[in-house]
Amino acid sequence: MSAKTMKLPLLCGGFALLLRCGVWLTAVSTPLGKMHCVPGLDMETLLKVSCWGQPGATAPLFVPHRMLIAALAWFFGAAGCVPWVLLLQCLCGALGAVLAADCARRLWRKDFATLIAGLTFAAYGPFLLYEVSLLQEALLLNGYLLSFWLLLVLRDREKPLLPAVLAGLSIGFFTCGRPAGVLFAFALPFAAAAQAPAGRKCASGFAAACGIAGIWAAAAVFNRVFSDTWSPFFHVLPYAVAVNTGDPAAAITTGSVCASLLRMLARLPLLFSPWEYPENLNWYFFQEQFPSWKCLPGPGLIVPLGTGALVWFAASRKRWKQGWPVLIVLLTLAPLLTVREPIGRYRLLLIPYLLILIAGWAAFCIPADAETRRDWRSRFPEILGGIVMLTLLLAVPVPRSCLRASDFLSWGIACENDGNWKAAETAYLTAWQGSGFASNDALIRLLWLEQERGNFSAMDEALEEGIRAGKADPGMLWYFKAKTALLSGAPETARELLKEPPASLSPDWQNAAEELRLCLPAAKKKTSVLRRTGVQAQ
């Protein structure tokens, strides 16, 4: 590969690296870099289970992201490894921009397509967000893209065996982290055989299959030694059946598997919605926290464009010979992303291939055709793709609210861990109010924070709002009302409140109330009203 042919992909990579340096510095200096401290999020769990040999860790598993965390935790410690994991993920993202640009160059053979794919990959907002979070999507999508790039490389090589083996090793390695690419892994040897030059087809397909089988065998041995299982993957089949039947104890039968498959197929259209379904991280929430991110392309633009480009490609028979590998990846990745609701971070794996299709669409359809004037029949694929794109952009309704109370709650905890008490207070208060005064977790966090700050009037105000709304746990409101009275110097008021517990009181709040009673000072002896007011009897 000459330096001249890589000039544009490397330019895209440099732009991506520049952006990621800024985002990484932002993450490590703001509460965004503390999201792994939020209890209950996958990021917190992942850090605990991946620090092998430390308290809370599970038995080692052959999972690329966990292995990365474990290696860095060995050098820097559990807490100190996080910035380095994020930095490596950002470097992988910059490499991914180079790969996406070069994939577009190899498929469409146009400089304009190369720039569109590489620069859009570099600036796609959710990529940047997940690269500075402790989740494995950033690593997986670039690992899968590496396999796809190697598949295209072997098409241009007279000796394709080495890229075929490397493509197999890459997809095999990263499917151990999440088996969403298993169907792509099974299709890869056939795609490699089809891509290879004449006389090398069978050897290329066999080489790719050996790479996949070799890495899966190594993963199986590793897991058997450390985790007592021969599977190179997570046990996804029981999980898929449980999610789709709603019964964690559901048996794996032919009927339950078929029902799960039908539900998965019914969710496929959701993959092409212009709006994301957030879980651990919410792209729309972080746009509000970092307003400069609103300038970056997001799913509301890219997914409709990508879907329109996919329709254009499917309707353009003369483009199939160039771009059929993209269709193979989309067809094999999409079904397994619908095992459960296709939330934003699952769908992230499809975006690189939609960007490559967008690049091809732009390269062939936007520039004017100076040689021939084509009528509408020859332009039918482009017109159809445009109609689909506009339909998604204009006709798909916007969700009522892209922000959730849980987003503010998680952000408040991250702010608290970052030492930003004022931002944490604002976030907890917004979560409490945004939940309609129903979120027990948001109120408890707010009350503990105000208690630490000695702001008892704010505690009492929040509790009064909760009592008026009547949606939060009555036992929790009763306990904290008494505790606030005690802390603010009104022990008698606290004593009176503790005498009248609500009708339904959980054992936890009962125990907490007993502990609070032990903190009450001894009751004063009763005196007459006349003596307390200082009036002498006649």
Side-chain angles (χ1 to χ4, degrees), residues 525-537:
K525 295 182 179 180
K526 293 184 179 180
T527 58
S528 68
V529 174
L530 294 178
R531 290 192 60 185
R532 282 189 283 115
T533 56
V535 179
Q536 297 295 327

Side-chain angles (χ1 to χ4, degrees), residues 73-415:
W74 189 78
F75 283 102
F76 302 105
C81 75
V82 174
W84 299 101
V85 175
L86 306 187
L87 179 61
L88 286 177
Q89 289 180 170
C90 287
L91 294 176
C92 287
L95 176 61
V98 177
L99 296 177
D102 198 54
C103 286
R105 182 187 67 83
R106 291 175 181 276
L107 282 172
W108 311 122
R109 309 292 181 182
K110 288 183 177 287
D111 290 346
F112 188 51
T114 302
L115 284 173
I116 291 291
L119 294 179
T120 313
F121 186 103
Y124 186 62
F127 285 170
L128 294 165
L129 174 61
Y130 282 92
E131 284 166 18
V132 289
S133 69
L134 205 67
L135 290 167
Q136 62 179 328
E137 274 66 30
L139 201 63
L140 287 181
L141 74 90
N142 288 298
Y144 287 1
L145 183 59
L146 175 61
S147 301
F148 180 70
W149 177 76
L150 288 165
L151 180 64
L152 299 183
V153 167
L154 71 87
R155 177 168 64 177
D156 299 330
R157 296 282 294 270
E158 293 182 4
K159 298 180 179 180
L161 296 186
L162 179 60
V165 170
L166 293 176
L169 289 172
S170 177
I171 192 62
F173 182 66
F174 287 101
T175 49
C176 294
R178 175 173 293 162
V182 165
L183 295 180
F184 178 36
F186 284 120
L188 183 68
F190 301 99
Q195 289 278 79
R200 301 286 185 183
K201 293 185 178 297
C202 291
S204 298
F206 182 72
C210 287
I212 297 168
I215 203 73
W216 283 354
V221 172
F222 183 94
N223 290 342
R224 182 68 181 90
V225 171
F226 292 102
S227 300
D228 200 29
T229 174
W230 282 108
S231 172
F233 318 112
F234 290 119
H235 299 294
V236 292
L237 186 58
Y239 172 77
V241 172
V243 166
N244 287 285
T245 59
D247 181 9
I252 301 176
T253 63
T254 303
S256 63
V257 172
C258 290
S260 297
L261 290 175
L262 289 175
R263 288 185 176 90
M264 289 165 61
L265 290 174
R267 296 190 190 111
L268 277 175
L270 298 177
L271 289 173
F272 302 97
S273 165
W275 299 99
E276 283 197 344
Y277 296 87
E279 192 187 44
N280 276 236
L281 296 178
N282 184 352
W283 163 243
Y284 308 106
F285 174 80
F286 285 99
Q287 279 184 304
E288 300 298 323
Q289 301 303 316
F290 303 98
S292 60
W293 288 16
K294 292 182 179 180
C295 303
L296 301 174
L301 174 65
I302 296 302
V303 175
L305 281 172
T307 307
L310 177 60
V311 172
W312 158 77
F313 170 74
S316 304
R317 295 183 62 183
K318 64 180 180 181
R319 301 297 173 205
W320 288 1
K321 186 176 180 180
Q322 287 177 279
W324 65 265
V326 186
L327 189 61
I328 293 295
V329 179
L330 290 172
L331 288 175
T332 52
L333 282 182
L336 294 184
L337 297 179
T338 58
V339 168
R340 52 175 293 185
E341 292 296 326
I343 57 178
R345 66 186 178 109
Y346 291 173
R347 189 175 66 174
L348 215 62
L349 297 176
L350 295 181
I351 300 298
Y353 312 100
L354 294 182
L355 294 179
I356 292 169
L357 286 177
I358 291 170
W361 194 17
F364 288 107
C365 302
I366 293 177
D369 192 343
E371 297 179 1
T372 60
R373 295 183 62 187
R374 297 186 293 169
D375 59 16
W376 71 270
R377 293 181 183 85
S378 62
R379 298 188 71 96
F380 175 73
E382 300 159 22
I383 295 170
L384 184 61
I387 291 172
V388 171
M389 180 197 68
L390 289 174
T391 301
L392 288 175
L393 282 172
L394 302 176
V396 176
V398 181
R400 289 184 179 180
S401 176
C402 295
L403 304 181
R404 309 168 299 174
S406 59
D407 295 323
F408 290 95
L409 177 60
S410 298
W411 183 248
I413 297 172
C415 290

